[in-house]
Amino acid sequence: KDLDSVHLQIYNRWGEKLFDAEGLDVGWDGKFSGVLCQQDVYFYSITLKGRINGVVSEKLLSGNVSLLR
């Protein structure tokens, strides 16, 4: 299995996109425009692209994450 890219997006409960990044080691630090986000539940969407036995594959993962401080 070879992972080629990870695309991570984070949204607040009103659908506003707070974070959008692509790379192999992306991660959200709980900030939006440099300001700490409040404790709340956020929606995430992760798209994984890679190869399994040489076949290009894409998988979408999504759900909720609770931000705690």
Side-chain angles (χ1 to χ4, degrees):
K1 298 178 184 180
D2 292 313
L3 187 59
D4 294 325
S5 73
V6 176
H7 184 200
L8 172 62
Q9 296 175 310
I10 303 287
Y11 298 86
N12 65 17
R13 65 176 63 221
W14 298 279
E16 180 182 13
K17 190 185 299 182
L18 305 178
F19 182 80
D20 189 338
E22 191 166 347
L24 290 177
D25 64 349
V26 297
W28 182 46
D29 62 3
K31 294 179 182 177
F32 176 60
S33 296
V35 178
L36 291 174
C37 294
Q38 65 183 4
Q39 287 192 151
D40 207 342
V41 176
Y42 295 88
F43 176 78
Y44 69 85
S45 172
I46 301 171
T47 304
L48 304 171
K49 293 180 185 175
R51 290 167 276 134
I52 300 174
N53 298 325
V55 177
V56 175
S57 180
E58 184 173 305
K59 181 160 180 114
L60 175 64
L61 306 170
S62 61
N64 296 309
V65 60
S66 296
L67 178 63
L68 304 173
R69 300 233 178 262

